[in-house]
Amino acid sequence: MGIVELVSLAITRSFSPVSIAAATLGLFVIAIFEDQRFYSEKKNEQKIKLLEKESERDYLTGLLNYRALSQEINRLANNNEIHNIVIGALDIDHFKKINDTYGHFVGNEVLKYFSTVFREQIHSAFPKHGYVYRFGGEEFTIVVSNHSLEEVYQLLQSIEKFFNNKSIVTKEGMKLIISFSCSLTDRLNDELLDTTLKRADKMLYSVKNNGRGWIVTDQHHQRPQKPSLERKINNNY
């Protein structure tokens, strides 16, 4: 018995201890069933959200991945409160040489270290407006909204100095100093963000083809980063 039966009994005034007990038990069973169903659905929703979140993270560095970058680009493009977007393409200099010289495990340590520093610095300088993505391999992308290109440029200069002055100490005790190449560009008015991203990527490859170790923007001449990773690797090898 359940709610319908109780109403029917009330109408006909045919209550009895047995019928009341049966109806009460029915309601109790229904309540337990509904509670379990709600808990199960809630748990499934949490699992789905967790899987979606994990699918947007790079397993090695913990950074957001290309899928998350595409979603963020779409979100920013449709947000009327965003008045400026800076996109940067970054590449760890001579990363292949690190892998070839020290092995992929050391290469992974470098990727994790680089990612941790950039994530902390970007998030600290541009809270809720700055994000770092692993684009693939040793290539990364940063997206900063509602801040000027000059602000982002100055931060990257400070990060470059940090890497120059602080070496990575691997688990095996080797010390490495890394540097990076970077291109920064502003999104133009009504420009598709994919177009901005492609321009930044093209600028980065131009830097890499002309010696690496530079930070280049639409507004600055190229400035070399010192010391170069290649010299440091040769000195430590």
Side-chain angles (χ1 to χ4, degrees), residues 21-235:
T24 303
L25 180 61
L27 288 173
F28 182 70
V29 171
I30 292 173
I32 292 177
F33 176 78
E34 287 297 317
D35 184 65
Q36 290 179 338
R37 185 173 67 85
F38 175 79
Y39 176 77
S40 178
E41 290 178 353
K42 196 71 175 177
K43 197 170 183 179
N44 287 336
E45 288 177 4
Q46 291 174 347
K47 286 182 179 179
I48 292 172
K49 288 180 180 179
L50 180 61
L51 289 173
E52 289 177 347
K53 186 175 181 180
E54 289 178 348
S55 70
E56 295 177 358
R57 291 283 176 182
D58 173 60
Y59 74 97
L60 177 63
T61 64
L63 293 178
L64 295 165
N65 59 22
Y66 181 76
R67 177 183 176 182
L69 173 61
S70 298
Q71 293 177 351
E72 178 67 6
I73 283 177
N74 290 331
R75 185 186 70 81
L76 291 174
N78 296 307
N79 190 338
N80 294 328
E81 295 181 358
I82 301 300
H83 56 73
N84 185 61
I85 301 172
V86 178
I87 289 183
L90 301 95
D91 189 297
I92 300 175
D93 292 331
H94 306 288
F95 184 75
K96 184 178 184 302
K97 191 174 184 68
I98 294 175
N99 280 332
D100 292 344
T101 304
Y102 300 106
H104 291 282
F105 287 106
V106 172
N108 286 345
E109 287 187 62
V110 170
L111 286 172
K112 291 178 182 178
Y113 177 77
F114 182 87
S115 301
T116 299
V117 171
F118 253 93
R119 178 172 52 205
E120 290 177 351
Q121 292 292 323
I122 293 292
H123 288 185
S124 177
F126 312 114
K128 298 183 179 180
H129 289 283
Y131 297 92
V132 186
Y133 304 83
R134 186 181 179 194
F135 204 73
E138 70 273 25
E139 296 183 3
F140 301 81
T141 301
I142 60 173
V143 177
V144 179
S145 59
N146 289 358
H147 289 273
S148 69
L149 187 146
E150 181 63 30
E151 289 178 276
V152 181
Y153 178 82
Q154 292 299 327
L155 177 65
L156 291 181
Q157 287 287 308
S158 68
I159 296 175
E160 173 255 321
K161 291 178 182 177
F162 174 85
F163 283 130
N164 285 343
N165 295 326
K166 187 175 178 60
S167 59
I168 301 173
V169 180
T170 69
K171 293 179 180 178
E172 297 179 355
M174 292 178 292
K175 294 183 177 181
L176 299 174
I177 291 180
I178 64 173
S179 65
F180 62 89
S181 299
C182 178
S183 62
L184 290 174
T185 185
D186 275 317
R187 179 202 182 198
L188 304 178
N189 290 335
D190 298 323
E191 179 181 50
L192 293 175
L193 278 173
D194 279 341
T195 302
T196 314
L197 182 60
K198 289 177 182 178
R199 182 169 65 254
D201 197 49
K202 185 176 180 180
M203 289 167 59
L204 177 61
Y205 274 91
S206 177
V207 173
K208 291 168 65 175
N209 290 333
N210 286 281
R212 307 194 185 199
W214 300 76
I215 298 175
V216 61
T217 80
D218 292 334
Q219 301 173 8
H220 291 89
H221 296 295
Q222 296 176 351
R223 298 184 182 182
Q225 295 180 334
K226 300 177 182 180
S228 76
L229 178 60
E230 185 172 19
R231 289 200 300 272
K232 285 297 178 181
I233 286 180
N234 289 336
N235 290 338

